[in-house]
Amino acid sequence: MSKINTSSLTFKVIAGMVLGVIVGLIINLGGFNVDGSFANTYLVDGVFHTIGKLFVNALKMIVVPLVFFSLIVGVTGIGNLGKLGRVGGKTICLYFLTTAVAISFSVMLAAMLGIGEGVNAVSDTSFSGKEAPSFVDVVLSIIPANPIQAMAEGQMLAVIFFSIMVAISMLMVGRRAQPLIDGAGLANEVMMKMVQIIMWCAPYAVFALIAKSVADLGIDLMIKLGEYAIVLVLCLMLHLFVVILLILKAFTGVNVKTFMKKMRANQLFAFSTSSSNATIPVTLRTVTRRLGVDNSVASFSVPLGATINMDGTAIMQGVATVFIANMYNIDLGVTGYATVVLMAVLASIGSAGVPSAGVIMLTLIFGQLGLPLDGIALILVVDRLLDMIRTSVNITGDAAVSLIVAKSEGEFDIDVFNDPDAGILDEDDSVSVDIKTE
Ligand code: ASP
């Protein structure tokens, strides 16, 4: 239908990604990435590392102020506490539901395919993972004793809680708080503008991030754990293209092709950064300006989703558990599988939206089931690339749930959703950035 627009941001980001893979492969396969070599010191750990890190830092830089102001605008925009409770309840229920579906079918599929069977690995218990936070720790982290510290440390649940409390209190103060509410709206606009500026740098940063990952990893390691990786990617794709889209279609009736098309640039950001949190600014922009979800719903559902809704992460945790159990000839049994499902739902909620968080939480599940922790070291070998894919699935789930909740609340603008140009910046925008995604 539409011809390729070579000036669009998506095109440039994809070009950056492809070039990154090529350069990374040349460095890796050409054997240039040995310690102390020019390519390793000045390119991989030098230029690529620095550019990639600067970009991710820039995204992280605006996450906290953006979530803070946008939640104030969102919650005060909802206007009454009853509706706020309803929106919150629906969002959280849907997040649970999609994650539970994701983990159930992926565990079933992995068990049916018998991945990891016949390897007969023996544990040498040499690996000790980073410590995962306990469930109590996660609950305790919701209310910050010091909101400034929570903001400085980027503790998302605490920031969300504090922002909602500020907004509710503003609503209760009433008319006199209006200047503050207006100020937050303006600050939100400013933050959104900053998102545009950062997105403008994305193609170069994506090139650097991907080139570094591929140069560090290479393709051969992927192949060693190929069976695990293939089943995992299959489950992730099934969830992305079948489950999420079916749920979206069933609840809203919208054109799922349009949804996926408009999510493309967003998914590429998640892919490149491996971080739902760092992608919040882009997701928020896509969901509100491209998909037509009102900020009153999106400001709540997007940051919360980035923190607690991790369908892709849950799928990884399920498949990895079955894979390692089979590798070590440990029979999980029906109770074991049920425990995996329950634990993965909880662990994915507890996983922060940052790179590799899902693997750290995997130690919780392994510990509960008595699986050898050195299995996680194996999983880690191929985790970087798989993390990129599952993060894209994670944020797509957040966007779909935001849309479903917004539709049910009458906060969804179908005209914006159907307009292919909605949310695309004007040519004469002061920072001329083209964020067309198709
Ligand atoms: N990187 C994932 C995210 O940010 C979390 C994980 O699965 O490790 O969504």
Side-chain angles (χ1 to χ4, degrees), residues 24-297:
L25 278 180
I26 292 174
I27 293 176
N28 186 278
L29 299 179
F32 301 119
N33 64 330
V34 281
D35 270 350
S37 70
F38 176 86
N40 209 25
T41 314
Y42 294 103
L43 289 180
V44 180
D45 289 337
V47 179
F48 298 164
H49 171 74
T50 312
I51 295 178
K53 188 99 181 112
L54 283 175
F55 178 69
V56 174
N57 280 355
L59 281 170
K60 286 185 179 166
M61 169 179 82
I62 47 172
V63 168
V64 170
L66 182 62
V67 167
F68 180 67
F69 291 123
S70 131
L71 261 171
I72 291 180
V73 175
V75 172
T76 52
I78 287 180
N80 78 67
L81 298 183
K83 185 168 174 190
L84 178 65
R86 219 173 45 236
V87 170
K90 278 185 199 170
T91 310
I92 292 170
C93 281
L94 277 167
Y95 282 156
F96 269 110
L97 178 80
T98 50
T99 308
V101 171
I103 172 75
S104 307
F105 86 72
S106 55
V107 166
M108 243 156 41
L109 195 68
M112 263 162 47
L113 293 174
I115 56 163
E117 275 173 6
V119 179
N120 297 322
V122 181
S123 164
D124 66 2
T125 64
S126 59
F127 177 80
S128 63
K130 258 197 219 169
E131 213 182 313
S134 70
F135 186 65
V136 175
D137 286 341
V138 174
V139 173
L140 286 180
S141 70
I142 296 177
I143 302 185
N146 180 345
I148 305 297
Q149 184 185 7
M151 288 183 176
E153 290 173 358
Q155 300 168 20
M156 288 319 294
L157 285 178
V159 173
I160 292 172
F161 181 83
F162 179 68
S163 313
I164 292 177
M165 288 303 287
V166 171
I168 290 176
S169 310
M170 281 178 175
L171 276 178
M172 293 171 84
V173 168
R175 201 191 286 270
R176 276 183 308 121
Q178 196 55 44
L180 277 179
I181 296 175
D182 293 343
L186 212 54
N188 192 37
E189 276 294 309
V190 172
M191 289 301 135
M192 277 295 188
K193 183 57 81 183
M194 223 188 274
V195 176
Q196 293 173 5
I197 301 171
I198 296 169
M199 282 163 96
W200 180 59
C201 311
Y204 313 99
V206 166
F207 164 79
L209 286 166
I210 302 284
K212 175 161 168 54
S213 298
V214 176
D216 281 345
L217 247 185
I219 290 290
D220 47 340
L221 280 178
M222 273 303 296
I223 295 167
K224 272 195 205 152
L225 288 151
E227 195 187 10
Y228 160 71
I230 289 170
V231 173
L232 178 50
V233 172
L234 181 76
C235 288
L236 289 171
M237 291 304 116
L238 275 174
H239 188 70
L240 183 62
F241 291 106
V242 181
V243 179
I244 292 183
L245 295 189
L246 269 180
I247 293 179
L248 183 64
K249 186 81 192 168
F251 279 100
T252 64
V254 298
N255 184 333
V256 292
K257 257 174 90 180
T258 309
F259 172 79
M260 283 308 255
K261 219 172 182 181
K262 291 192 166 192
M263 281 301 293
R264 213 182 292 154
N266 206 165
Q267 288 161 340
L268 291 174
F269 270 84
F271 185 87
S272 313
T273 58
S274 292
S275 170
S276 302
N277 273 5
T279 313
I280 288 175
V282 186
T283 312
L284 208 46
R285 190 180 193 287
T286 307
V287 168
T288 51
R289 305 202 175 179
R290 303 276 291 134
L291 295 176
V293 172
D294 192 79
N295 187 52
S296 58
V297 172

Side-chain angles (χ1 to χ4, degrees), residues 274-277 306 310 313 316 351-359 383 387 390-391 394:
S274 292
S275 170
S276 302
N277 273 5
M310 307 232 171
T313 303
M316 177 279 287
S351 308
V354 297
S356 298
V359 172
D383 196 60
D387 194 4
R390 69 175 181 262
T391 307
N394 287 346

